[in-house]
């Protein structure tokens, strides 16, 4: 971590602590030890990364939520998260671009699909034992945190890039679901200028870190879906779907990498279900479709874990 990056992360982290401690009426933190234990684990040196995922209910979720971390963590890039950030929002001019890059944000381009450099970078970092934080929905969804809403703890479909990151991890990452409450009151959507840029004081917040998801439970869930032929359907869209000319070759590369990783068994079994005795081009298409279906299943399994934590936090069990 260079000096400028260390200074940026430290200033933002301490500023987040100031908001939590002096601006809010209360801050409740649950399960922080689950994340700290993972961050301090010796397994990271051997390439076991960390993935945290949570609901996204305001533009201040990140970085303010990380104000709950010990201040000493801000001086070490291994103890602070990397995350994906939209190019059209966070990298709109040279000043913002420099700031967010120094703050360990990976520039991501909406509409460029799951085979773009940002996802490649996230996978590389995860395989080096780094910590990646992901907002699976890819956008703010404040209704999910309202306990009185019929959509409480129900998240928008997670982006398939989540599944690719998980599948191409070579060792089972420590997957920690998170749930935030109150941040939607801190920065409500729909306010007029200039209030939409100003956090509201006196809000009660909570940050909950769930228990790490056992890798075996994900592997078993996927094996069952593959064995019982209950994998989700793959997209046939012309852009990023099976009709995209580049997709079969991209899926083949992803499948080869995934077969060598911690989810290799269900990926290999799914890819092996394609019909025999058909043309090579059709085989490639069928194999690509099976890889995409496994990825959709991985993404859905992870989303269910985050939603389950949300139901517990909101008392919706």
């Amino acid at each position: 971590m260079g000096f400028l990056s260390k200074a940026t992360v430290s200033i933002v982290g301490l500023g987040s602590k100031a908001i939590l401690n002096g601006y809010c009426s209360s801050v409740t933190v649950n399960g922080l030890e689950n994340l700290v234990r993972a961050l301090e684990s010796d397994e990271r040196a051997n390439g076991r990364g960390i993935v945290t995922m949570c609901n996204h209910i305001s533009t201040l979720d990140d970085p303010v939520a990380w104000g709950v971390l010990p201040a000493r963590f801000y001086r070490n890039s291994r103890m602070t998260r990397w995350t994906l950030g939209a190019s059209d929002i966070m990298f709109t001019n040279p000043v913002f671009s420099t700031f967010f890059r120094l703050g360990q944000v990976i520039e991501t381009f909406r509409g460029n699909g799951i085979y773009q450099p940002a996802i490649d970078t996230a996978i590389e970092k995860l395989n080096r034992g780094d910590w990646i934080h992901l907002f699976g929905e890819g956008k703010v969804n404040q209704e999910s945190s309202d306990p009185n809403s019929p959509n409480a703890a129900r998240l928008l479909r997670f982006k398939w890039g989540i599944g690719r990151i998980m599948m191409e991890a070579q060792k089972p990452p420590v997957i920690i679901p998170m749930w935030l409450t109150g941040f939607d009151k801190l920065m409500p959507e729909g306010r007029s200028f200039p209030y939409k840029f100003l956090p509201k004081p006196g809000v009660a917040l909570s940050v909950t870190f769930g228990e790490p998801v056992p890798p075996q439970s994900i592997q078993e869930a996927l094996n069952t879906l593959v064995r019982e032929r209950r994998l989700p359907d793959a997209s046939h869209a012309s852009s990023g779907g099976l009709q995209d000319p580049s997709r079969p070759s991209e899926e083949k590369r992803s499948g080869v990498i995934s077969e060598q990783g911690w989810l290799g068994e269900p990926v290999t079994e799914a890819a092996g279900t394609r019909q025999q005795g058909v043309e090579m081009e059709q085989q490639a298409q069928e194999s690509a479709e099976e890889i995409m279906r496994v990825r959709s299943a991985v993404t859905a399994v992870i989303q269910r874990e985050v939603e389950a934590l949300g139901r517990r936090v909101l008392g919706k069990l």
Side-chain angles (χ1 to χ4, degrees), residues 9 11 18 26 94 102 105 166 181 203 232 235 254 270 276 284:
V9 172
I11 290 170
S26 67
L102 290 173
V105 179
M166 293 298 177
T181 69
V203 173
S235 169
S254 180
Q276 302 299 318

Side-chain angles (χ1 to χ4, degrees), residues 70-315:
R72 69 181 187 278
F73 283 12
Y74 304 145
R75 301 190 297 273
N76 184 345
S77 65
R78 295 280 284 181
M79 307 302 276
T80 51
R81 63 91 188 101
W82 287 88
T83 193
L84 305 181
S87 178
D88 60 334
I89 295 176
M90 305 171 78
F91 295 83
T92 54
N93 60 57
V95 174
F96 283 4
S97 296
T98 300
F99 172 76
F100 286 114
R101 287 194 181 99
L102 290 173
Q104 300 190 177
V105 179
I106 304 168
E107 184 175 11
T108 311
F109 294 88
R110 299 179 189 268
N112 282 15
I114 66 172
Y115 292 104
Q116 61 170 295
I119 305 298
D120 298 339
T121 299
I123 294 167
E124 291 168 4
K125 290 187 178 299
L126 192 60
N127 283 330
R128 290 202 297 262
D130 285 337
W131 167 22
I132 306 292
H133 179 73
L134 301 168
F135 292 106
E137 298 169 284
K139 62 186 292 187
V140 171
N141 173 23
Q142 297 196 328
E143 193 175 8
S144 66
S145 68
D146 182 356
N148 298 315
S149 168
N151 292 319
R154 295 177 62 181
L155 302 178
L156 305 173
R157 180 186 62 77
F158 275 18
K159 301 297 184 181
W160 288 316
I162 303 290
R164 184 186 166 212
I165 292 170
M166 293 298 177
M167 286 173 62
E168 295 191 21
Q170 294 304 290
K171 293 191 176 181
V174 180
I175 302 170
I176 300 177
M178 293 175 55
W179 195 264
L180 309 177
T181 69
F183 287 78
D184 53 326
K185 305 297 189 297
L186 183 68
M187 286 292 282
E189 295 280 286
R191 292 184 296 167
S192 60
F193 180 86
Y195 304 104
K196 65 180 181 179
F197 296 113
L198 303 174
K200 297 182 70 174
V203 173
L205 306 181
S206 78
V207 181
T208 299
F209 299 86
E211 293 282 345
V213 180
Q216 310 91 285
S217 68
I218 298 176
Q219 293 166 329
E220 290 169 4
L222 290 175
N223 284 330
T224 299
L225 290 172
V226 171
R227 187 169 54 250
E228 297 179 358
R229 305 289 182 88
R230 292 192 292 113
L231 290 172
D233 290 334
S235 169
H236 284 58
S238 58
S239 177
L242 282 172
Q243 300 307 312
D244 188 325
S246 64
R247 198 58 183 263
S249 61
E250 291 171 332
E251 293 297 343
K252 181 179 180 180
R253 287 196 299 272
S254 180
V256 170
I257 295 170
S258 300
E259 286 178 353
Q260 299 169 353
W262 71 290
L263 293 176
E265 182 179 342
V267 172
T268 301
E269 186 174 346
T273 61
R274 58 186 182 272
Q275 297 181 15
Q276 302 299 318
V278 298
E279 296 294 333
M280 290 295 294
E281 184 175 344
Q282 185 177 344
Q283 280 195 20
Q285 192 81 356
E286 291 176 355
S287 179
E289 182 168 358
E290 292 305 316
I291 297 299
M292 292 175 71
R293 294 176 69 192
V294 173
R295 183 179 303 114
S296 296
V298 172
T299 305
V301 169
I302 299 298
Q303 178 167 346
R304 286 198 293 269
E305 293 289 343
V306 179
E307 289 177 331
L309 177 62
R311 288 193 295 273
R312 291 195 293 273
V313 171
L314 298 177

Side-chain angles (χ1 to χ4, degrees), residues 51-70:
V51 177
T52 52
M53 261 178 288
C54 72
N55 57 326
H56 195 8
I57 56 175
S58 85
T59 55
L60 283 184
D61 296 347
D62 185 310
V64 172
W66 308 126
V68 305
L69 292 173

